[in-house]
Amino acid sequence: MKVNPGTQVPIDGIVALGSGLCNEAMLTGEAKPVNKGIGSKVFGGSMLTVGSIIIKVEKLGENSTINQIIKLVESA
């Protein structure tokens, strides 16, 4: 799945090709974008701010990182 700069990463996966900077503040609270290269994990809902990547899908729907966080918050 291709992710272009300025768009959200649609699903959890691993970078298979390309590189870029990804803003993961919605998950981690970290203000600085994180460098992503081949083999790096990316998370659905984060924003690719610079670069272009192709990701290999790792987790879908209920198993995605953001859904796991939501479940933990709801059960707290």
Side-chain angles (χ1 to χ4, degrees):
M1 181 171 291
K2 184 174 184 180
V3 183
N4 293 314
T7 61
Q8 277 191 333
V9 176
I11 198 146
D12 292 1
I14 297 174
V15 177
L17 188 65
S19 64
L21 295 174
C22 200
N23 183 340
E24 298 177 345
M26 49 80 70
L27 286 173
T28 65
E30 175 61 48
K32 287 184 171 182
V34 179
N35 190 25
K36 299 293 180 175
I38 295 173
S40 298
K41 289 187 177 190
V42 291
F43 304 99
S46 59
M47 179 74 68
L48 186 68
T49 56
V50 176
S52 184
I53 59 175
I54 294 178
I55 61 171
K56 177 181 173 188
V57 175
E58 188 176 56
K59 295 180 183 176
L60 295 171
E62 291 289 319
N63 297 323
S64 70
T65 301
I66 191 69
N67 280 337
Q68 295 299 318
I69 292 170
I70 290 169
K71 285 179 186 177
L72 286 171
V73 169
E74 287 176 344
S75 67

